[in-house]
Each structure stands twice: as C-alpha cells, then as structure tokens.
C-alpha cells in the first residue's frame, strides 16, 4: 500500500488563502444582493397629521414603514412617502405584508413614482390594499382624476413596477408564475421621485407595512430612437381576468390563433407563421412554401386541418391562400388583390375577408375552392375584420360608416347590418365571437386614434352578443397585431393576444 504523502505547509497556506478569497467573494455577493436602498428623504405628502416613520432591519433586509393619510385617489393624495431622486428607466420590486388587522380594508402600501411631492402631482403607483386587492393607479395631469387597473391576482404577490420611457408596467409574481396587470402611458419628467408609500385610508389612524426583498434599479434614460420592441404573447382567462405569459421576447410577433385541441397557438412573425405550446416553449416554423410574406391575418378551419393565410409574396399585394395546418404547399383562393382573410364559416365552406376594390374596403365572402367573390357591404368608408358567429347565421365586422369605428353585425348574406357596440369614447376593431356565441371580444382604441396603428394604449373589451355594456378585461400597449384574428380557446374560457413594450436594447 502506497503511503499518503503529506501536503507541504506552503500548499496548505495557499489553499487556505484561496478559500478565504472565495468566502470573501461570497460574503460580498450576499451583501450586494441584499444591499440597503439609500433613500433621499421621507415626506408627509398632503394632509398627514399623525407621526410617521421608517425603520430598516439590516438582518431581515426589510423596511417597516408606518404611515397615515386619508387616501391616495381622486384629485389629491395624503400618505407617507419614503423616496429617492430617480432618473430614466426604473425596475422596482418588493414583497409587502401588513402589521396587524388594520382599521381600514383599503389601506394602501406600495411603489410610487411621482412628478413631484405636491398632493395633486401626476403619478403612477403599484399598491396593495389591506383586503388583498392590487392596483396600478395613475394621475395623468396635475389635479386630474386618478384612474386604475385592478389586478385579478390578489396579494400576497411580488410586485414589480417598471418604467420604460413613458410606459409603466405592473407585473406580479405569485407561486412562481408571472402575470402582467397592465401597461399604461404617462408622460412624466425624466427626473422623478420614486419610493415606498403607506396610506392608512383614515386620517385618524396609522398603519404599518413591511417591505421585504426591496430592489430599486435605475437603468438610465434610453432615447426613443434607441428603444426596441418587446412582444409578449399572453392568454387571459375571461372569467377571472388573470393574464398568463406564453412567450416574451425582443422581437416582433402578432395575431395569435388557438389550435382546435387547445394545446397550441399559431402566430405571425417576420412574414412567417409559427406555432408554440400554450404553456410556453420554443416556437416552431410552419412551412408555407413560397408564401413567406404573410401578414397578420390567418386562421384555422373549423376542423383544424387547414390554415388560411394572407400573403403578399407574389407582387406586394395581399392574397388569400389555404394550406394544411401542419404546413405544406399553399393553394391560391383569391385571384383579386388586396384581400385579407378574417373568418371561416362554421361548415368550413366559405371564407370571409376584407378587400379593396375600386378604392373602397368592404367585406367579401368566397368559397374555399375559389371562384367568384361576393360583396356584402357597400357603405362608404372602411368595413373590416369579418368573423362568423359559431352558428353561421351572422358575420361580425367593424365599420366606420357613422364617422366612428364600431362593431357591427349582419346576416351571413349581408342583410340587416346593425351597429352593436355603443357610441362611447372608443374606436372598436376586430370582434371575435366566443365558441358558444354568447360573447364578443374586441380591441378598442381611444376615440381620437385614427385607424388601427401599432404601439398605442388600447384595451380588450368583452360584450354579450345579446346586448349590454362592454367590459374592459385588459389594459395594454398594442393595437395592430394584438388581436386581429379569431383567438378564443376552444372551450371559450380564454383569449390569446399580444401586448407590446418599447424598452432598452
């Protein structure tokens, strides 16, 4: 047996020295990871008369803040604010818990980004209420009214508020799943106040919140011409309003459809069609033959065996083609151009589409085998986005014939054309009926926006087909490409769509 040679003393010292460096490095990393955020000030904003305080626990890495104030809402705010000067883009995250039962269920705690320290200044916040409600709140002008986007995901959840230029996005992480609450646009100075806030929602009492794992990151100001587009493919549960991310990337993709088995989403990117599992994963390219300049108007046949695409490879003008849903050689359907597919009749025999003929855009239908097209609308102005009801009796479409873009419905033969959505503050586009025919979902722009451009603040709205007021189910940055095509899940529980952000490269 060969004896074990003793390790020279010098080698022992060298080993100990290296281990010491490793331990120092690990300790330094841990210290950096839990470094205390240095705030510049603590201010009672508005009418706050009771004592307030902030305490940092270096062992637990928590901030315990006691605040008061009547409310953070309407035209002015009263709250306690622990802030620092910040410039450019921000990434703010924290976990929040309350101390005690509390007197008011709507006490608030969270991140606040403000243009100033006056009670009526413009601001954006991400706050958790005492009852568990989480909201993205904002005031766009000095003394203006506060608006909000309520989250269907309740506290406790990690709250992430991001500023990218003029966009503010609230994302929650609950049970290791990320959910986007909403994105809004608000023009504020590059230099702002940003920090943590507590409001008791009752000027006669105090409330205490604990902020843990606080991360305050300034990523600097990115010029508009240097921003890149981030696309996020999402699904939303129309009953609960919960949004779930399927894919997010710094590239442009749009217009999702749902496969008939409910497991796969089809979407467009860079003139090509891809599929991706609903649960996320790597996109798979669909072979569309020589048609490689597909636009964002495509969809599956009722039996899921065929895919209709709108492609402009031939001469730069869009035509409709059909190919196997798994890929293959496309077959031309519409000889005339431009033609943009939007709907498939439930019996699989007819396509509905928008086409420009003699300088006017109208709704047409055609057999899946091609042949003569049938014009269904003749009103001046744009008629677009036709989609069949699941029983095949009606076609929903959007029309600007009254001077405002609204959702209309007609019988499948073009008769009885009737406006469906109300004359309100929105322009409505691309209505899609649910599989049971009880609902339509559509995208709405502010009334001042002309056309359906990309990169605008929009909302998804849900409305009963039997009539009633539309309900906002999602607030996002998007528009063109968000929900151009039918995107209900086969069970009618979810809708797929794409949201966007302009962010740093």
């Amino acid at each position: 047996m060969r004896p074990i040679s003793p390790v020279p003393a010098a080698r022992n010292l060298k080993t100990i020295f290296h281990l010491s460096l490793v331990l120092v490095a690990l300790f330094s990393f841990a210290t950096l990871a839990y470094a205390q955020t240095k705030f510049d000030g603590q201010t009672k904003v508005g009418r706050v008369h009771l004592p307030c305080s902030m305490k940092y626990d270096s062992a637990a890495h928590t901030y315990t803040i006691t605040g008061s104030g009547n409310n953070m809402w309407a035209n002015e705010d009263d709250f306690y604010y622990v802030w620092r000067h910040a410039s450019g883009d921000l990434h703010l995250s924290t976990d929040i818990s309350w101390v005690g039962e509390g007197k008011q269920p709507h006490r608030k705690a969270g991140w606040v980004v403000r243009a100033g320290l006056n009670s009526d200044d413009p601001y954006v916040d991400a706050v958790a209420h005492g009852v568990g409600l989480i909201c993205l709140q904002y005031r766009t002008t000095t003394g203006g009214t506060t608006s909000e986007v309520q989250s269907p995901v309740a506290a406790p959840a990690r709250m992430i508020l991001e500023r990218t230029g003029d966009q503010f996005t609230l994302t929650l992480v609950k049970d290791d799943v990320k959910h986007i609450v909403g994105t809004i646009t608000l023009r504020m100075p590059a230099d702002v106040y940003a920090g943590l806030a507590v409001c008791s929602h009752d000027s006669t009492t105090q409330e205490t919140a604990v902020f843990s794992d606080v991360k305050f990151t300034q990523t600097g100001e990115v010029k508009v011409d240097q921003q890149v587009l981030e696309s996020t493919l999402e699904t939303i549960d129309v009953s609960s309003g919960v949004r779930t991310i399927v894919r997010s990337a710094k590239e442009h993709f749009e217009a999702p459809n749902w496969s008939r088995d409910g497991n796969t989403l089809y979407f467009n990117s860079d003139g090509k069609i891809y599929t991706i599992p609903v649960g996320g994963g790597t996109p798979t390219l669909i072979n569309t033959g020589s048609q490689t300049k597909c636009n964002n108007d495509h969809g599956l046949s009722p039996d899921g065996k065929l895919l209709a695409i709108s492609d402009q490879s031939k001469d730069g003008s869009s035509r409709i083609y059909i190919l196997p849903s798994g890929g293959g050689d496309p077959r031309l359907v519409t000889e005339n151009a431009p033609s943009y597919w939007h709907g498939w009749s439930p019996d699989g025999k007819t396509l509905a589409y928008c086409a420009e003929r003699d300088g006017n855009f109208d709704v047409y239908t055609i057999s899946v085998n091609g042949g003569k097209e049938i014009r269904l609308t003749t009103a001046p102005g744009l008629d677009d986005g036709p989609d069949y009801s699941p029983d095949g009796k009606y076609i929903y479409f959007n029309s600007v014939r009254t001077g405002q873009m609204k959702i209309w419905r007609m019988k499948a033969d073009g008769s009885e054309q009737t406006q469906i959505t109300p004359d309100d503050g929105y322009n409505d586009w691309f209505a899609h009926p649910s599989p049971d025919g009880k609902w339509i979902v559509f995208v709405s722009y502010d009334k001042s926006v002309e056309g359906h451009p990309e990169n605008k603040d929009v909302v998804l709205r849900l409305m009963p087909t039997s009539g009633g007021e539309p309900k906002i189910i999602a607030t996002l940055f998007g528009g063109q490409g968000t929900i151009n095509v039918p995107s209900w899940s086969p069970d009618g529980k979810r809708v797929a769509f794409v949201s966007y952000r302009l962010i740093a490269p």
Side-chain angles (χ1 to χ4, degrees), residues 9 40 96 101 105 107 113 130 151 153 185 188 201 315 358 470 479 483:
D40 298 326
I96 300 174
E101 293 296 323
R107 53 185 174 166
V113 179
S151 169
V153 177
T185 299
M188 286 215 290
H201 206 276
D315 55 12
D358 300 321
I483 190 171

Side-chain angles (χ1 to χ4, degrees), residues 6-29:
V7 178
R11 188 179 297 174
N12 276 330
L13 290 174
K14 187 176 181 180
T15 301
I16 293 172
F17 177 72
H18 284 165
L19 287 173
S20 298
L21 288 178
V22 172
L23 290 173
V24 169
L26 289 173
F27 178 76
S28 299
F29 176 79

Side-chain angles (χ1 to χ4, degrees), residues 12-333:
N12 276 330
L13 290 174
K14 187 176 181 180
T15 301
I16 293 172
F17 177 72
H18 284 165
L19 287 173
S20 298
L21 288 178
V22 172
L23 290 173
V24 169
L26 289 173
F27 178 76
S28 299
F29 176 79
T31 302
L32 179 63
Y34 293 103
Q36 179 181 358
T37 297
K38 301 296 184 182
F39 291 101
D40 298 326
Q42 302 178 36
T43 303
K44 294 179 179 179
V45 176
R47 295 164 294 181
V48 178
H49 308 295
L50 298 180
C52 302
S53 63
M54 187 272 284
K55 177 182 178 182
Y56 176 68
D57 187 328
S58 59
H61 312 294
T62 58
Y63 298 82
T64 301
I65 299 177
T66 297
S68 186
N70 187 55
N71 204 353
M72 300 168 67
W73 189 248
N75 307 101
E76 59 182 7
D77 312 309
D78 306 316
F79 66 99
Y80 188 57
Y81 194 26
V82 179
W83 54 267
R84 63 181 289 185
H85 294 289
S87 180
D89 292 350
L90 300 170
H91 188 283
L92 314 172
S93 61
T94 190
D95 294 290
I96 300 174
S97 60
W98 290 100
V99 176
E101 293 296 323
K103 182 178 180 181
Q104 284 288 343
H106 287 289
R107 53 185 174 166
K108 300 174 183 178
W111 287 109
V112 180
V113 179
R114 294 183 69 89
L117 297 177
N118 295 320
S119 63
D120 62 350
D121 279 325
Y123 76 94
V124 177
D125 71 30
V127 291
H129 296 234
V131 291
L133 174 66
I134 297 175
C135 294
L136 175 68
Q137 298 182 163
Y138 54 100
R139 179 184 297 123
T140 60
T141 60
T142 301
T145 302
T146 296
S147 300
E148 71 174 0
V149 181
Q150 294 189 1
S151 169
V153 177
R158 184 158 185 81
M159 298 168 57
I160 304 170
L161 178 62
E162 295 174 271
R163 179 187 187 181
T164 54
D166 292 330
Q167 291 180 294
F168 292 84
T169 301
L170 173 58
T171 304
L172 304 179
V173 181
K174 190 177 182 73
D175 299 327
D176 296 324
V177 178
K178 292 179 68 174
H179 303 281
I180 297 176
V181 175
T183 296
I184 59 101
T185 299
L186 195 158
R187 289 177 174 82
M188 286 215 290
D191 297 323
V192 293
Y193 296 85
L196 303 171
V198 173
C199 174
S200 63
H201 206 276
D202 183 337
S203 60
T204 66
T205 191
Q206 301 160 305
E207 296 287 358
T208 300
V210 178
F211 300 82
S212 57
D213 195 14
V214 175
K215 302 291 174 60
F216 191 119
T217 304
Q218 298 183 77
T219 55
E221 185 175 1
V222 179
K223 294 182 179 179
V224 174
D225 59 358
Q226 295 176 338
Q227 292 176 326
V228 298
L229 184 73
E230 178 189 66
S231 305
T232 301
L233 175 56
E234 303 181 55
T235 65
I236 183 169
D237 185 300
V238 294
S239 176
S240 68
V242 174
R243 295 164 59 173
T244 302
I245 297 172
V246 178
R247 173 176 169 77
S248 187
K250 292 181 180 179
E251 58 189 59
H252 185 233
F253 45 84
E254 52 189 337
N257 310 116
W258 222 295
S259 66
R260 298 305 179 213
D261 62 8
N263 297 324
T264 306
L265 291 170
Y266 287 69
F267 66 94
N268 175 286
S269 180
D270 194 27
K272 301 176 179 64
I273 307 296
Y274 294 82
T275 61
I276 189 172
V278 173
T282 302
T284 299
L285 176 66
I286 294 291
N287 173 26
T288 56
S290 59
Q291 272 57 60
T292 57
K293 294 183 179 180
C294 302
N295 57 41
N296 56 23
D297 302 315
H298 51 83
L300 294 162
S301 59
D303 61 8
K305 295 180 179 180
L306 299 174
L307 176 67
I309 61 172
S310 304
D311 179 83
Q312 52 190 349
S313 298
K314 183 177 181 179
D315 55 12
S317 191
S318 179
R319 292 173 174 83
I320 299 171
Y321 299 79
I322 289 177
L323 64 148
S325 58
D329 292 327
R331 171 176 58 83
L332 178 64
V333 178

